Amino acid sequence: MKNIVVTGATGNIGSRVVLELTARKREGVMAFVRDPVKAARLAASGATIRRGAFEDTASLRAGFAGADTVVLITAGSALAEQAAAAIDVARAAGVRKIVRISSLKADIEGPTDATRQDGRTEAKLRASGLTHVILRGHCFMQNLLASVGSLRSEGKLYFGTGSGKMGLIDTRDIADAAVAAATSDAWDGQTLELTGPAAIDYDAVAAALGRELGRDVTYVPVPPTAVGEAARRFGTDEWTAKVLTDYCTAYAKGWGDFTTQEVAKLTGHEPRSIAEFAREVLAPAVRAG
Ligand SMILES: NC(=O)c1ccc[n+]([C@@H]2O[C@H](COP(=O)([O-])OP(=O)(O)OC[C@H]3O[C@@H](n4cnc5c(N)ncnc54)[C@H](OP(=O)(O)O)[C@@H]3O)[C@@H](O)[C@H]2O)c1
């Protein structure tokens, strides 16, 4: 069996990738993590924990030793630097293939700094000579979990995308797609935009949640800058708050108004709908208060 290392393995996508891989009873599933305490569930599933951080090159070398494939997930304001360090070490360590979790329409001239950084990372990966699959995730349905407080107390969903429609995707489908790309050569060399099954606005999101909760849920559009300001009040760092504002501005203009069939092609199942997400994830979180 080929060894697979997953970075960002304690995060939303990475943890599911690890658990899906170990559920197939695969040998050689490695989770690259900063904090082994957060990785107890991954270790219990059979994954080998390799401790490290992107800033620590020696830990990357040890983390990638003996790996055939790396599922490369990075995060935060230094995401391109993290990815560049990982790609360089992967090449030197003899890694054959990288499955990169990138973002919607990644482009060095895109509308958010995350889009631009992922554009730079994709260019570096394509130039690296490594076999690769690039999976660009649309806006995550799981971002809605940040609104649980107002949903619970007021039945209101405040957001800054106006009436812009988005092909919102459940991170479980991105993880499933990453597992497929890591365990098959069928997608090598491809860049795939992953979306949910429908481009919807936040009125549709509110309606889906309201149906599930059996009460009214209302979407309240606010300016994109108000979303960034609210994030700052909740302690979000400046880079993330600005990226959030810039994404909202772009989505309000229809930048994310599209869907693709890539999740079904990669995974063999349809992407999860907003109704499924509301039933399985969001409504339980709202009720849990
Ligand atoms: N939100 C969206 O709509 C959207 C859309 C497309 C793409 N994306 C991007 O997709 C990526 C994956 O998303 P996600 O939700 O799975 O991320 P997440 O839950 O925030 O997880 C990020 C992971 O990266 C790890 N990490 C952060 N800094 C690190 C460092 N310096 N060294 C080693 N590990 C580090 C974290 O470890 P710790 O647990 O130790 O913090 C965590 O495991 C993110 O970059 C995200 O921004 C987001």
Side-chain angles (χ1 to χ4, degrees), residues 244-280:
L244 199 51
T245 303
D246 292 344
Y247 265 125
C248 285
T249 302
Y251 288 138
K253 293 178 185 160
W255 185 70
D257 185 0
F258 69 95
T259 59
T260 70
Q261 306 303 311
E262 310 292 26
V263 167
K265 278 197 253 169
L266 276 151
T267 67
H269 67 71
E270 290 301 318
R272 292 164 174 86
S273 66
I274 194 67
E276 288 170 285
F277 177 77
R279 183 170 66 246
E280 294 166 4

Side-chain angles (χ1 to χ4, degrees), residues 1 51 60 67 74 103 115 117 120 143 179 184 206 210 231 234 257-258 266 279 288:
M1 284 287 189
R51 184 179 196 163
L60 274 177
T74 61
S103 54
T115 317
Q117 289 203 40
R120 296 203 292 277
N143 296 346
V179 169
S184 161
F234 279 96
D257 185 0
F258 69 95
L266 276 151
R279 183 170 66 246

Side-chain angles (χ1 to χ4, degrees), residues 8 10-13 34 38 54-55 73-74 82 137-138 140 143:
T10 52
N12 286 312
I13 296 170
R34 290 196 285 196
K38 286 171 79 175
F54 292 112
E55 298 78 8
I73 301 171
T74 61
Q82 295 176 352
H138 205 304
F140 297 172
N143 296 346

